[in-house]
Amino acid sequence: GEYLDPSLSPVLSQQKTKDGVGYCIHLGDKTVTWTDGFRFFMTTTLPNPHYAPETAVKVTLLNFSITREGLEEQMLALVVAKESPDLEERKNMLVVSNARMKKELKDTE
């Protein structure tokens, strides 16, 4: 899979801490004020990037060179996430569990 710098983890996981009236986030040795309107976008020139499941559950991946079937799958995933968040959470847990088991299998080989 593709590699993301570990220093992005607090942002991707939204690891906010209460700081007086608002929230802040720790980036390396700095503390930065968190704004609810903050959005983080990343782009790539790779035609079909693959990220580890641990990363995929933290972000929304958009593929602008998508097929009709792929777009239908993404739209269905969004509908399920909105209308059945418990099912979406279960799917995310299964993705992470599957990644953990694959790593465990690779480690035992």
Side-chain angles (χ1 to χ4, degrees), residues 30-46:
K30 295 185 180 191
T31 301
V32 180
T33 302
W34 179 269
T35 303
D36 285 332
F38 174 75
R39 299 293 180 259
F40 183 69
F41 296 92
M42 295 186 310
T43 61
T44 181
T45 57
L46 298 172

Side-chain angles (χ1 to χ4, degrees), residues 8-19:
L8 293 174
S9 186
V11 175
L12 297 178
S13 301
Q14 295 188 18
Q15 296 173 350
K16 305 177 283 190
T17 56
K18 188 79 170 158
D19 182 30

Side-chain angles (χ1 to χ4, degrees), residues 20-32:
V21 210
Y23 290 93
C24 65
I25 192 167
H26 299 284
L27 297 173
D29 59 346
K30 295 185 180 191
T31 301
V32 180

